[in-house]
Amino acid sequence: MEGERIEGDFLVIGSGLAGLNFALRVADAGKVLVITKKERSETNTNYAQAGIAAAIGEDDSPSIHFQDTVRAGCGISNEEAVRIMVEEGPSLVMRLVELGVEFTKKKLPDGREVWDLWKEGGHSRRRILHAGDFTGQHIERVLIERAKEKENIKVFEDFIAVELIVEDGRCLGAWVFDEKRRKIIPFIARVVFLATGGGAQVYLHSTNPSIATGDGISIAWRAGALIANLEFVQFHPTSVYSREKRERNFLISEAVRGEGAVLLNLSGERFMEKYDERKELAPRDVVARAIDKELKERGEEYVLLDLSPVGEKKIKEKFPNIYRHLLENYGIDITRNPIPVVPAAHYLCGGVKTDVNGRTSIRGLYAAGEVACTGVHGANRLASNSLLEALVFSDRAARDALEFDEPVPLGLRLRFREGKESIERIVLVHMRERIKKTMCDLVGIVRNDYRLSRALRILRLLNEEISEMFSRVPVSRDTIELRSLSDLAYLITLCASMRKESRGLHYNTDHPEPRKEWERETVIG
Ligand SMILES: Cc1cc2nc3c(=O)[nH]c(=O)nc-3n(C[C@H](O)[C@H](O)[C@H](O)COP(=O)(O)OP(=O)(O)OC[C@H]3O[C@@H](n4cnc5c(N)ncnc54)[C@H](O)[C@@H]3O)c2cc1C
């Protein structure tokens, strides 16, 4: 295909916190093209409910935040990256405030105003800055407004990256599907920044919006980038259970448990104390596994999250969004009735491997945010560290990218072959459901060798079939996402099969203990 092409200095794929922060940071140095799969605000960032962690409390310090993060990472966090994140985080969070983000404050008895810091599971101090209980939405809105003010930033909505353009080990842009015109266009830039977020939609129950299909990991892997640690999938313990099929499970933030809400089985018994002395405030993986065990043992479909210990006044004051959402969409008044909840896939700790400056293994290709694996989270992520990671490493990637001045070679010969055969949508829907069900049944919260090897066989076959089909049929959102989900499912399962131990979020009943020789990342090339 020859003809139309769009050129800039920086190509940013994704308009969440990582993408927009990067775009704002480089905007004075050149033309920035931001492509985004749907409308620009439809991101995981937009749904972040609790907040962003930063060691700014009087009793806190970056070194305490470091210890908490590394403890959660179960021995395999990249300590250099963690140190950078906790040290650079506080000032970058304050830069968000300068950009217009209004984090919630509270008044002390002596009249002073201070940040109203929340505490979440695994954090030993109150350090979560939040904007009511719609932090992500607020941050996203502010960044979009700031980006609009920059003439150099052009945002393309409904433009979906299909493939990276890589020549001689150097990334030069991406093939992009313009969904409205149903056309594939090459976007060429000196620097490509991947900020496509996560891919928890690969599971049947997911807290992520529909955009989270792992596209960035899939396209980077196919272009030859290193991928790491994908076996560490975080399941959020408390997403709303509903019999109706919904695109995503609504999440009940950890902060609710931080304020005193308790988990009950359907007999009304509090059960977390059987599993961990920290009870409801144990880290997410512990709570998710406890719920999984309780459900499997009792043959029940959900447990209950009881907010009555929080009290009506505090619920309405602190969690107005959750209160309203549950009332309007599920008919549950959470000041009076418990919420039925189940664990749902929430966050990928692994992704495209980067160094602490956001560089991937492909020259000219940077990545940050949930798509990337800086190694900060190791085998498990602390709540509210992901927005911080996206902020800190998109910033560092931007600083590094500003120095990257290798020009795009002249006379690039670009060609994209698109298939012409038609395909019935039902076939695509069926394959998508097969992937999600396989992941849910065989590669879920608790794993074993047999289920993993079965999943690997199924997914390998599906993967081959989907790649082959992709080359025969016209490109569409459905086919792009199907291929991404298939690649991601395969990569998660491959990483999980390689790690013959249990550590953090990866729990294999055939290898229930951590092993010294596995105190390292799982890297796939
Ligand atoms: C319900 C929920 C609550 C959460 N709460 C918190 C919290 O309180 N604190 C916290 O720290 N973290 C939280 N997280 C996690 C956090 O929101 C994400 O990890 C973070 O926002 C990721 O930011 P990002 O910029 O990397 O990606 P995202 O914000 O997900 O943005 C990804 C962007 O990439 C675009 N994109 C994807 N594929 C393509 C493609 N092929 N072509 C073009 N564009 C593409 C998308 O359209 C989107 O614009 C939560 C997540 C969810 C789902």
Side-chain angles (χ1 to χ4, degrees):
M1 187 183 293
E2 298 280 351
E4 187 176 354
R5 71 156 82 173
I6 297 179
E7 294 182 4
D9 296 291
F10 303 92
L11 169 61
V12 177
I13 310 180
S15 59
L17 171 56
L20 291 178
N21 188 51
F22 180 96
L24 286 167
R25 295 292 275 162
V26 297
D28 293 336
K31 187 171 169 194
V32 188
L33 312 168
V34 179
I35 62 163
T36 183
K37 201 172 178 178
K38 269 189 158 180
E39 63 273 27
R40 63 197 76 187
S41 63
E42 188 58 2
T43 61
N44 268 0
T45 301
N46 199 42
Y47 292 92
Q49 246 178 26
I52 184 162
I56 58 166
E58 281 175 9
D59 63 346
D60 203 359
S61 69
S63 70
I64 305 176
H65 192 181
F66 173 88
Q67 283 158 18
D68 289 348
T69 303
V70 166
R71 192 179 317 117
C74 302
I76 61 161
S77 294
N78 174 341
E79 295 195 1
E80 184 197 1
V82 179
R83 200 171 296 286
I84 287 171
M85 180 180 81
V86 297
E87 284 176 358
E88 295 185 7
S91 59
L92 288 174
V93 168
M94 288 308 128
R95 214 170 51 87
L96 284 182
V97 174
E98 281 162 31
L99 288 177
V101 174
E102 292 176 4
F103 291 116
T104 304
K105 290 185 170 171
K106 66 176 182 190
K107 256 208 168 99
L108 294 178
D110 63 10
R112 271 187 307 144
E113 271 213 325
V114 292
W115 301 114
D116 179 31
L117 300 174
W118 276 346
K119 187 161 181 232
E120 290 188 284
H123 288 277
S124 63
R125 297 288 187 277
R126 286 190 168 261
R127 65 166 71 99
I128 318 302
L129 285 126
H130 63 98
D133 61 351
F134 45 88
T135 311
Q137 199 184 337
H138 178 57
I139 293 177
E140 183 71 33
R141 188 170 50 74
V142 169
L143 293 180
I144 287 174
E145 278 167 15
R146 294 296 84 82
K148 272 190 192 149
E149 292 159 8
K150 295 272 181 193
E151 259 178 32
N152 262 356
I153 300 181
K154 182 159 170 40
V155 180
F156 298 78
E157 293 183 326
D158 300 307
F159 277 63
I160 312 176
V162 185
E163 213 80 81
L164 292 173
I165 298 170
V166 177
E167 269 195 9
D168 301 325
R170 158 92 194 275
C171 186
L172 299 163
W175 288 101
V176 178
F177 178 58
D178 171 351
E179 200 179 11
K180 289 199 179 115
R181 291 191 296 158
R182 308 197 69 74
K183 214 172 161 196
I184 307 264
I185 304 162
F187 276 59
I188 305 298
R190 189 173 77 236
V191 166
V192 178
F193 180 63
L194 210 49
T196 48
Q201 277 284 337
V202 76
Y203 284 89
L204 208 54
H205 298 292
S206 167
T207 65
N208 287 195
S210 66
I211 51 106
T213 48
D215 298 5
I217 295 171
S218 161
I219 59 179
W221 178 57
R222 274 183 280 110
L226 293 180
I227 305 293
N229 284 1
L230 277 175
E231 67 275 38
F232 301 115
V233 178
Q234 187 164 63
F235 286 80
H236 197 288
T238 53
S239 75
V240 179
Y241 169 86
S242 162
R243 285 224 163 77
E244 284 166 47
K245 195 167 158 50
R246 295 175 191 241
E247 183 187 89
R248 67 178 200 100
N249 292 39
F250 184 72
L251 176 149
I252 307 297
S253 149
E254 207 123 37
V256 170
R257 278 178 285 128
E259 294 301 327
V262 294
L263 285 161
L264 308 172
N265 60 29
L266 295 193
S267 305
E269 295 154 357
R270 202 170 162 189
F271 58 84
M272 270 313 298
E273 51 216 21
K274 278 193 295 188
Y275 299 96
D276 195 284
E277 59 188 19
R278 289 163 290 184
K279 300 176 199 158
E280 279 79 3
L281 284 183
R284 281 184 182 167
D285 58 315
V286 177
V287 181
R289 266 204 301 278
I291 296 177
D292 192 63
K293 188 143 195 284
E294 202 70 13
L295 295 179
K296 288 198 168 116
E297 265 178 21
R298 296 173 58 90
E300 290 166 353
E301 288 184 33
Y302 56 89
V303 296
L304 299 169
L305 183 64
D306 179 13
L307 277 76
S308 55
V310 184
E312 181 170 348
K313 185 163 173 280
K314 212 167 177 190
I315 292 174
K316 288 186 177 163
E317 237 169 60
K318 296 217 165 198
F319 308 110
N321 202 22
I322 298 179
Y323 170 72
R324 223 178 8 254
H325 189 88
L326 269 282
L327 198 59
E328 285 167 10
N329 294 281
Y330 297 84
I332 302 173
D333 177 350
I334 60 173
T335 63
R336 293 180 206 298
N337 300 109
I339 310 170
V341 291
V342 281
H346 183 54
Y347 184 83
L348 302 180
C349 292
V352 181
K353 190 168 163 51
T354 66
D355 68 9
V356 293
N357 294 313
R359 293 186 194 180
T360 69
S361 54
I362 298 178
R363 231 167 59 252
L365 177 68
Y366 290 77
E370 196 169 335
V371 68
C373 179
T374 58
V376 155
H377 309 299
N380 197 355
R381 173 189 75 121
L382 269 191
S384 293
N385 262 356
S386 40
L387 287 177
L388 186 67
E389 186 201 23
L391 178 68
V392 170
F393 292 98
S394 59
D395 219 80
R396 290 179 70 87
R399 277 181 267 153
D400 202 272
L402 287 170
E403 304 290 312
F404 185 83
D405 54 7
E406 259 184 60
V408 172
L410 296 172
L412 268 186
R413 300 239 321 252
L414 298 166
R415 192 168 168 74
F416 187 93
R417 276 180 216 279
E418 196 181 358
K420 297 227 168 354
E421 286 177 34
S422 63
I423 187 158
E424 289 170 319
R425 187 145 191 268
I426 187 70
V427 177
L428 305 178
V429 172
H430 174 80
M431 290 203 239
R432 193 173 170 126
E433 283 177 1
R434 183 97 201 274
I435 294 168
K436 286 171 169 246
K437 186 92 174 56
T438 304
M439 293 305 284
C440 181
D441 292 345
L442 305 178
V443 200
I445 299 176
V446 176
R447 301 161 179 175
N448 64 37
D449 282 350
Y450 176 70
R451 280 194 250 137
L452 288 176
S453 68
R454 211 173 129 54
L456 205 56
R457 273 201 305 278
I458 296 170
L459 293 167
R460 203 173 263 144
L461 276 177
L462 261 176
N463 203 259
E464 274 170 24
E465 195 182 339
I466 289 167
S467 302
E468 191 269 332
M469 182 264 305
F470 194 88
S471 62
R472 282 190 291 109
V473 304
V475 171
S476 67
R477 174 189 290 269
D478 284 338
T479 56
I480 296 168
E481 290 190 345
L482 180 64
R483 187 170 64 159
S484 302
L485 289 168
S486 161
D487 285 342
L488 180 62
Y490 173 69
L491 292 169
I492 292 175
T493 310
L494 190 59
C495 287
S497 310
M498 286 161 74
R499 186 172 285 278
K500 302 285 185 213
E501 64 155 4
S502 291
R503 184 184 296 273
L505 298 167
H506 173 67
Y507 188 68
N508 182 331
T509 52
D510 290 320
H511 313 278
E513 299 298 328
R515 287 168 53 186
K516 191 80 196 147
E517 63 268 36
W518 270 104
E519 235 172 58
R520 58 182 165 87
E521 292 185 331
T522 315
V523 181
I524 300 179

